[in-house]
């Protein structure tokens, strides 16, 4: 019966309730859940921002080197690397702009297909 199924599930798995409903954090399940929280690191955001800025400068440096040597394949690769970087950062408009620019440097149908799949 449905009543037996609900009591059977209650016997095998602890009920997760809010510590506020129980009058505090003394509930054993709430203590177990709290141990899985990630500790706050106030340095994470500034460090991540600096690392991202350094990576962006490196990628843009590769692009400008490729452009100065007029190497189509290297320019296309650098643009796609920048697109991937911006995509990972959630900057989708900039990523799409870089992918569109990389299409100008495709030299084969296979490269065009690769770029189209990235869109």
């Amino acid at each position: 019966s449905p009543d037996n199924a609900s009591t059977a599930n209650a016997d095998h798995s602890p009920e997760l309730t809010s510590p506020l409903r129980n009058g505090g954090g003394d509930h054993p399940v709430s203590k177990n859940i709290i141990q899985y929280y990630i500790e706050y690191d106030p340095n994470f955001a500034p460090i991540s921002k600096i690392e991202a800025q350094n990576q962006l400068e490196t990628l843009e440096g590769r692009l400008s080197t490729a452009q100065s040597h007029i190497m189509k394949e290297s320019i296309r690769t650098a643009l796609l690397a920048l697109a991937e970087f911006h995509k990972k950062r959630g900057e989708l408009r900039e990523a799409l702009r870089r992918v569109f620019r990389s299409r100008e440097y495709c030299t084969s149908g296979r490269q065009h297909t690769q770029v189209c799949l990235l869109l």
Side-chain angles (χ1 to χ4, degrees):
S1 76
D3 293 333
N4 291 341
S6 63
T7 56
N9 287 340
D11 293 338
H12 295 294
S13 63
E15 182 179 336
L16 298 178
T17 59
S18 170
L20 297 176
R21 289 185 187 164
N22 292 337
D26 295 335
H27 193 272
V29 174
S30 65
K31 287 183 181 179
N32 290 338
I33 291 172
I34 290 173
Q35 73 182 359
Y36 295 110
Y37 287 153
I38 297 172
E39 189 174 321
Y40 175 72
D41 182 9
N43 298 322
F44 176 76
I47 290 172
S48 296
K49 188 174 183 178
I50 290 168
E51 288 174 352
Q53 185 63 35
N54 290 339
Q55 186 179 8
L56 180 61
E57 288 173 6
T58 301
L59 291 171
E60 287 178 342
R62 288 181 188 167
L63 176 61
S64 52
T65 300
Q67 287 174 330
S68 68
H69 294 341
I70 312 172
M71 298 168 37
K72 284 183 111 176
E73 178 62 25
S74 296
I75 294 171
R76 186 183 73 82
T77 304
L79 286 168
L80 292 176
L82 279 164
E84 184 67 26
F85 169 79
H86 288 296
K87 185 175 111 180
K88 285 181 181 177
R89 302 256 315 147
E91 301 164 350
L92 301 180
R93 183 174 298 202
E94 187 64 25
L96 193 59
R97 187 175 75 85
R98 301 287 186 164
V99 170
F100 282 144
R101 282 195 53 212
S102 74
R103 288 176 51 193
E104 299 169 13
Y105 298 98
C106 291
T107 57
S108 69
R110 183 175 178 220
Q111 291 175 349
H112 277 286
T113 304
Q114 178 191 15
V115 169
C116 289
L117 290 175
L118 289 173
L119 296 176

